[in-house]
Amino acid sequence: MSAVEAKTIGESAEQAEVDLTLDNISIVPDSLCMACGGSGETRIMLTKIPLFREVLLSSFACPHCGERNTEVQFGGETQPKGCRMAVTCSSREDLDRQVVKSESCKVLVPDLELEIPAATQRGVVTTVEGVLTRAADELAALQPQRLVADVEVGRKVQRVIDALRDRAAGDFDEFQLIVDDPAGNSFVQPLSQPDSALTTTHYERTDADAIALGFRPGESSTSKTVEGVDDMLAKPSEEREVMTFGVDCPHCRAPGEEQMCVAKIPYFKECVIMSFSCAACGYRNAEVKGGGAVPLKGCRATLKCVDEGDLLRDVLKSDTAAVTIPELDLELVHGTLGSVYTTLEGCLDKIVDALLRGNPFGDSAETENRRKFEAFLDRVRALRDGKVFPFTVIMQDPLANSFIGPRRDAASFSPISEAGEAPPDPNLTVEDYDRTFDEDEELGLNDINDGTLDAVAEEGSDDDLPAVDGLEVGPKRVVGVADHVRPAPRTTVDHPNPEFARGCDDALPAGSGFRVR
């Protein structure tokens, strides 16, 4: 090869143009082969996995030594929470489930006491059978050395290898496979909706998980914004100002500012509104958090929409609320839309956008499945556009931090009560309910030790209680709808939506009515 034709690896990389258009294959020539040092070829394709997200697939092949290598990386950012998916395999169909395993993911087979650490394998797109087969092959690679070093350990490992191969071949009764990814970028394909054999749980990352992913321990926007909140809440609402905190952008890691303020929602309670905007990459995010203590019961709001006036109702949906529309057989689990403050029409519009972004039926899907999905989207759009009435919206929040407001023309139907309570709403039912054990477990409430007083009461004596002057312990009571903040006469509009005040006449005494705009 002449000097003119010779190229360094860096020059070749600079001249390689990689087009990351969806489902477009880009070829990077002159890629260094790590086996023989020759020049191979790398192919890169950005694609979307149904029911998951965009991934970057890369494949390398060397024509000189035959070395081949494939890898999967993720086109998006690290997810806000980790995910843990447990699938119970009882048939051949379960072995054919598609599995996306990222580099930060570990795989567990509990009945074999087998754990595949995250650092031992690269990101791959495979199946449950492929995960088992690959684990057996990698364990068998060093089996001769184990038998020489320690015969007993080698025999135990051989039993695990045989069990993995039996399960991969379909010779099993039932076993469980767990995929645990702190980055939230792994996936196990469901066979139906819902899939009773597949359980997905989202969890907060620990400091050890954050360090392994390259973050600082405790690095999150929430931990940085809680400082100074108590001082803000101690001030009257009319004296509170917007607070600003220094927060790193979760997308590009550039330093930015997050703004926070506290707003009092009539007939509900105080909420914390947080907004972040990155000047470097343009990333924007807004969140609404409910204020106050954790209530003893959850809250369920059932709204029957009868006309376009119901679409204009204010809706506060927290990230712990689930939304159900029975007429569409649609159920959105908690965390699907995040925490938003909008109208019912806006909430339906966000549902349409979320379904379009997470469209599980790409070009490779069957025509019938795509047709059914488009028909379902049209039904949701019809509700959003006010073409179909009546329909029902159920919002269930185990932390009682969600809210559906009254109609904006509610004052024309019935006046406000003398106690300042919201007018009766025949189409809206709000009820408290007892949380289930699973809901408390997912919220981390089962791990809270608040039984000190109960333990003393069971013993029938209060001798063990510390002596505190002036302290009176009252009976427990349920915090629910009756404890929501009632709007008081005011001279300024303290609600984020001025229309929600519905023209309150400050010249009138409290409880004497509303003046309709």
Side-chain angles (χ1 to χ4, degrees):
M1 181 181 295
S2 64
V4 178
E5 295 175 346
K7 298 180 181 179
T8 65
I9 298 176
E11 292 173 346
S12 300
E14 292 176 356
Q15 296 178 6
E17 297 182 359
V18 179
D19 184 8
L20 293 183
T21 306
L22 193 64
D23 293 332
N24 182 72
I25 299 178
S26 297
I27 298 177
V28 181
D30 298 333
S31 298
L32 176 65
C33 177
M34 303 305 296
C36 67
S39 178
E41 181 180 85
T42 300
R43 298 191 176 193
I44 302 175
M45 181 180 70
L46 179 67
T47 187
K48 187 172 185 178
I49 296 178
L51 301 174
F52 191 47
R53 57 179 63 91
E54 293 180 350
V55 295
L56 193 65
L57 302 176
S58 61
S59 174
F60 171 80
C62 177
H64 305 289
C65 65
E67 174 71 13
R68 301 179 66 87
N69 181 28
T70 58
E71 189 173 353
V72 58
Q73 298 178 354
F74 297 90
E77 72 258 14
T78 300
Q79 303 305 307
K81 294 184 178 182
C83 66
R84 179 184 176 93
M85 287 159 284
V87 56
T88 302
C89 300
S90 58
S91 64
R92 180 66 201 183
E93 293 181 350
D94 292 319
L95 295 178
D96 295 333
R97 291 175 184 261
Q98 188 179 51
V99 176
V100 180
K101 179 190 175 300
S102 72
E103 295 182 349
S104 59
C105 172
K106 64 179 180 182
V107 180
L108 301 94
V109 184
D111 62 331
L112 297 180
E113 298 182 1
L114 174 66
E115 177 179 342
I116 305 175
T120 58
Q121 295 180 356
R122 286 192 292 264
V124 293
V125 178
T126 180
T127 61
V128 173
E129 178 184 358
V131 171
L132 299 176
T133 302
R134 182 173 181 179
D137 293 342
E138 293 187 354
L139 286 174
L142 298 177
Q143 189 61 1
Q145 290 85 341
R146 291 193 192 96
L147 292 173
V148 172
D150 193 327
V151 177
E152 185 63 26
V153 172
R155 289 176 179 175
K156 292 180 179 179
V157 174
Q158 187 60 44
R159 286 196 291 268
V160 174
I161 295 173
D162 295 339
L164 288 173
R165 287 177 174 165
D166 290 342
R167 284 162 172 74
D171 184 12
F172 61 89
D173 294 331
E174 185 177 287
F175 71 95
Q176 188 180 54
L177 182 77
I178 300 176
V179 176
D180 191 341
D181 187 0
N185 283 330
S186 294
F187 169 76
V188 177
Q189 176 191 6
L191 298 181
S192 61
Q193 293 293 340
D195 191 342
S196 58
L198 178 63
T199 303
T200 303
T201 305
H202 299 277
Y203 61 88
E204 297 289 345
R205 283 187 286 268
T206 63
D207 288 345
D209 293 334
I211 294 174
L213 294 175
F215 298 106
R216 292 191 295 270
E219 184 179 60
S220 65
S221 59
T222 304
S223 62
K224 294 186 179 182
T225 55
V226 295
E227 300 177 0
V229 174
D230 294 338
D231 296 338
M232 175 191 288
L233 294 177
K235 297 180 181 179
S237 59
E238 60 271 11
E239 298 180 5
R240 295 172 186 166
E241 300 179 354
V242 177
M243 300 183 66
T244 302
F245 305 89
V247 177
D248 292 340
C249 176
H251 187 72
C252 68
R253 315 309 302 170
E257 292 184 347
E258 179 155 0
Q259 296 181 329
M260 184 186 73
C261 69
V262 178
K264 182 186 294 184
I265 299 182
Y267 317 120
F268 190 48
K269 56 184 176 181
E270 289 185 334
C271 295
V272 180
I273 302 177
M274 297 181 290
S275 175
F276 177 80
S277 178
C278 179
C281 66
Y283 173 80
R284 301 180 64 184
N285 183 36
E287 291 184 87
V288 183
K289 302 292 184 182
V294 176
L296 296 180
K297 293 191 175 185
C299 181
R300 183 186 298 110
T302 304
L303 173 65
K304 184 177 181 181
C305 300
V306 296
D307 56 29
E308 294 183 355
D310 290 316
L311 294 177
L312 300 179
R313 291 176 183 259
D314 288 271
V315 173
L316 171 62
K317 180 198 170 297
S318 74
D319 51 5
T320 59
V323 179
T324 305
I325 304 178
E327 288 80 0
L328 298 180
D329 291 331
L330 174 65
E331 180 179 357
L332 302 178
V333 298
H334 65 89
T336 303
L337 300 179
S339 56
V340 294
Y341 179 73
T342 178
T343 62
L344 181 58
E345 179 183 2
C347 185
L348 293 173
D349 188 58
K350 290 181 179 295
I351 291 175
V352 173
D353 293 341
L355 290 174
L356 288 174
R357 289 195 305 269
N359 180 9
F361 304 109
D363 296 336
S364 60
E366 297 179 0
T367 304
E368 182 65 17
N369 290 336
R370 292 203 306 269
R371 186 191 64 79
K372 290 181 180 179
F373 184 74
E374 290 295 334
F376 180 80
L377 283 179
D378 292 338
R379 295 175 61 190
V380 181
R381 292 189 184 103
L383 299 184
R384 178 197 62 186
D385 299 337
K387 298 179 180 179
V388 177
F389 291 106
F391 64 93
T392 307
V393 177
I394 303 174
M395 187 176 297
Q396 179 170 313
D397 191 345
L399 291 182
N401 284 333
S402 297
F403 168 77
I404 299 180
R407 292 172 61 104
R408 296 188 179 181
D409 54 356
S412 63
F413 289 93
S414 57
I416 191 171
S417 65
E418 294 182 358
E421 297 180 353
D425 195 333
N427 295 331
L428 178 62
T429 303
V430 181
E431 56 183 345
D432 294 333
Y433 72 94
D434 294 325
R435 286 189 295 267
T436 63
F437 178 85
D438 292 337
E439 287 178 328
D440 285 339
E441 183 70 20
E442 191 162 357
L443 295 171
L445 301 180
N446 291 333
D447 298 328
I448 299 178
N449 184 10
D450 60 348
T452 304
L453 297 180
D454 292 340
V456 174
E458 291 177 359
E459 297 173 1
S461 172
D462 57 357
D463 296 338
D464 296 333
L465 286 175
V468 180
D469 297 335
L471 176 63
E472 295 182 0
V473 180
K476 291 185 177 180
R477 65 186 184 91
V478 175
V479 180
V481 178
D483 298 276
H484 290 172
V485 177
R486 309 299 180 190
R490 57 192 184 279
T491 57
T492 60
V493 178
D494 61 0
H495 195 271
N497 186 352
E499 294 295 330
F500 194 88
R502 300 191 302 280
C504 182
D505 192 344
D506 297 324
L508 296 177
S512 58
F514 282 96
R515 171 171 53 83
V516 180
R517 294 182 187 271

